[in-house]
Amino acid sequence: HDAVEVMREMIAPASLAGVHVFFPDPWPKTRHHKRRLIQPAFVALLAFTGLRLSEVLGLTWADVDLDGRVLHVRKQLERGPDRRRVEPKTARAVRAVEMDDGLVSILPGWRLRSAHSGRTDFVVVTRAGWPLDQSGASRRLDTIVARAGLDVEGEVKITPHQLRYSFGALLLYGG
């Protein structure tokens, strides 16, 4: 069994306080991306919720209700070096967003693997536990897109904002 199978199939949800990966593959291969234990799951938050980048980056684990299958958007991450949670621009931006099955299945493992998984910790963090800033998040998405071979010249560039629009379009066309 590989690590992903063990985590998904053999360990009950919420049964571990943490998981330490001491020897991840130092030379990961593209063809093994589906089997990697450590995935850039923040892309799922961007792609399957329609949240703005600042809203995704402002989420704390207290905002994630897995049992209710809801993300509570209460704050957003302010641009700039302070990386503070601030009120959204409008009252309508404070909302509850339903999560689909895929996101509900991804987030528990992501939280389990994070060294920063307390209620007040940010969901998307750096290794040091700081919230990822917007330029860092955009660079991370660029890397993920490039590794997946989706950075095709002449095609629409995949950005956090483009993922938001795509989610909206899927909702419209899905009925």
Side-chain angles (χ1 to χ4, degrees):
H1 298 285
D2 68 33
V4 172
E5 286 178 358
V6 171
M7 293 297 292
R8 284 189 185 144
E9 310 296 333
M10 299 177 172
I11 298 175
S15 65
L16 300 175
V19 174
H20 300 275
V21 180
F22 292 109
F23 301 105
D25 188 352
W27 300 282
K29 293 153 194 72
T30 303
R31 67 178 181 266
H32 295 160
H33 74 279
K34 290 182 181 175
R35 292 181 32 221
R36 276 189 209 130
L37 182 59
I38 300 172
Q39 290 281 344
F42 93 97
V43 174
L45 285 167
L46 290 170
F48 303 120
T49 63
L51 295 181
R52 294 173 182 91
L53 178 59
S54 60
E55 293 169 339
V56 168
L57 298 176
L59 289 172
T60 64
W61 286 109
D63 299 322
V64 178
D65 177 2
L66 292 170
D67 294 331
R69 302 172 60 91
V70 172
L71 292 172
H72 296 281
V73 181
R74 299 176 178 121
K75 303 272 186 176
Q76 66 182 25
L77 193 69
E78 181 179 56
R79 283 187 176 266
D82 293 339
R83 300 183 196 174
R84 293 180 305 142
R85 286 182 86 205
V86 296
E87 298 294 325
K89 291 180 182 179
T90 66
R92 287 185 64 195
V94 176
R95 63 201 185 281
V97 176
E98 289 183 41
M99 291 188 282
D100 69 359
D101 292 338
L103 195 53
V104 170
S105 70
I106 290 170
L107 288 177
W110 189 6
R111 185 174 189 179
L112 193 64
R113 291 187 301 270
S114 176
H116 310 283
S117 58
R119 289 186 50 77
T120 59
D121 288 325
F122 287 90
V123 175
V124 180
V125 295
T126 64
R127 286 188 181 120
W130 286 96
L132 193 62
D133 66 359
Q134 291 197 6
S135 62
S138 292
R139 283 191 308 272
R140 186 176 287 180
L141 181 60
D142 288 345
T143 300
I144 292 165
V145 167
R147 285 183 183 163
L150 299 173
D151 57 342
V152 179
E153 192 167 327
E155 296 291 328
V156 174
K157 183 177 184 204
I158 298 174
T159 65
H161 202 68
Q162 193 64 38
L163 291 174
R164 177 175 161 80
Y165 279 149
S166 297
F167 178 78
L170 289 172
L171 287 180
L172 283 174
Y173 291 118

